[in-house]
Amino acid sequence: NESVEIKSETEGIVQEVLFNEGERVEKGHLLLRLDESKWSAAVSEAEANFKLSQANFDRAQQLLKDKLISQQEFDQAAAIFEVNRSSLELKKRNLKDARVIAPFTGMTGSRSVSPGQVISRNSTLTWLIDLDQVKVELNVPERFLSQVKIGQSIEFDVAAYAGQKFKGEVYFIAPQVDLVYRTALVKALIKNREHLLKPGMFANLELTLKVRDEAVVIPEVAILNNGDTTYVYLVNSDQAAQMQVIKVGQRLSRWAEITDGLRGGEQVIVEGHQKIAPGIKVKPAGPEASAVYLN
């Protein structure tokens, strides 16, 4: 969901590392502290200068009111006061930069620094990754864009967890199409409370473009062609093969939609086509043999 490389805005000596690798930290958690001694001394000096200039400025205001100093002298006191105030704010910011804070709640990555190590500005300290949700990116061909909508469901699996399905929901559709590949970027959000999914994983994904509740589908291997005729063999009530002409609609992986010729519920022959013809008696195999076509 979120991923950031944790770096320091300033250089210095690492005084404390306040996180463990791979642990969950909350937003605002202090991850690392540099040696603050020189910045603390600079802040003390800036505070002393600021207090002195503030006292001089307050005194100058009263003297100007009593017409005991010129406007130029007052302006000089006011300018010194503003300079010292800005200097104090800058020194406080430098002191604050000696502490590295978690910008959001997430899991820390591997640690790349140790106490006592001198680091430069923008040195990588660790990574912080929010795994409570993950985002999946896919490129949808242009011809299907009219069927993609915000809120559509997706289902996918990853090699690390064979057989386990993960479900998500589309939340982003790119407003432009890639000019070379003619695809549009689509993103989906998936709950990942157990942190099983990791950034960078490759997913085999199915995006449901359209749902037809009463569609008739059969295993694609059952479909036969003879010239312009598409047909299947059914098993009739006499346990004989019967040829049935069909029309095929949408084709999916291993499955095909039948838009005409079948009502649903018929027994369709999926193997042994070379041995059968209309009217030949058949003996259906048991459920174990057909299970491979149903999963």
Side-chain angles (χ1 to χ4, degrees), residues 70-188:
S70 66
Q71 183 66 42
Q72 181 181 4
E73 290 175 306
F74 172 77
D75 291 343
Q76 288 177 338
I80 293 173
F81 171 67
E82 290 298 331
V83 168
N84 285 331
R85 179 161 63 181
S86 299
S87 178
L88 177 59
E89 292 300 321
L90 178 61
K91 298 298 193 301
K92 286 182 176 180
R93 175 55 195 266
N94 290 337
L95 179 60
K96 183 179 178 182
D97 288 345
R99 300 188 175 196
V100 180
I101 306 297
F104 54 81
T105 299
M107 303 289 293
T108 58
S110 62
R111 175 163 61 92
S112 55
V113 294
S114 299
Q117 182 176 342
V118 178
I119 63 170
S120 60
R121 183 174 298 181
N122 290 327
S123 294
T124 300
L125 310 177
T126 186
W127 283 84
L128 185 64
I129 301 173
D130 177 7
L131 288 176
D132 292 342
Q133 297 184 104
V134 293
K135 296 170 182 174
V136 174
E137 296 184 359
L138 59 146
N139 292 291
V140 175
E142 179 183 5
R143 65 183 183 275
F144 294 128
L145 279 181
S146 63
Q147 302 177 57
V148 181
K149 301 290 186 295
I150 300 296
Q152 275 181 305
S153 63
I154 66 166
E155 186 175 86
F156 66 95
D157 58 71
V158 294
Y161 306 103
Q164 184 171 351
K165 293 292 185 180
F166 299 89
K167 295 183 179 181
E169 189 174 281
V170 173
Y171 76 93
F172 169 80
I173 302 171
Q176 76 276 9
V177 173
D178 187 283
L179 296 177
V180 177
Y181 299 105
R182 311 308 305 173
T183 59
L185 178 64
V186 174
K187 296 183 180 183

Side-chain angles (χ1 to χ4, degrees), residues 212-218 256-259 262-266:
R212 289 193 283 275
D213 293 331
E214 300 300 325
V216 176
V217 293
I218 63 173
E257 177 192 17
I258 307 304
T259 58
L262 296 177
R263 298 188 306 273
E266 297 94 337

Side-chain angles (χ1 to χ4, degrees), residues 7 38 80 112 132 194 228 242 247 260 262:
K7 297 181 177 182
K38 61 180 180 181
I80 293 173
S112 55
D132 292 342
E194 297 179 6
D228 295 333
Q242 174 185 327
K247 289 184 180 179
D260 189 39
L262 296 177

Side-chain angles (χ1 to χ4, degrees), residues 268-286:
V268 179
I269 297 176
V270 294
E271 287 186 4
H273 294 122
Q274 69 277 11
K275 300 178 182 179
I276 59 174
I280 290 182
K281 294 288 185 177
V282 297
K283 182 180 180 180

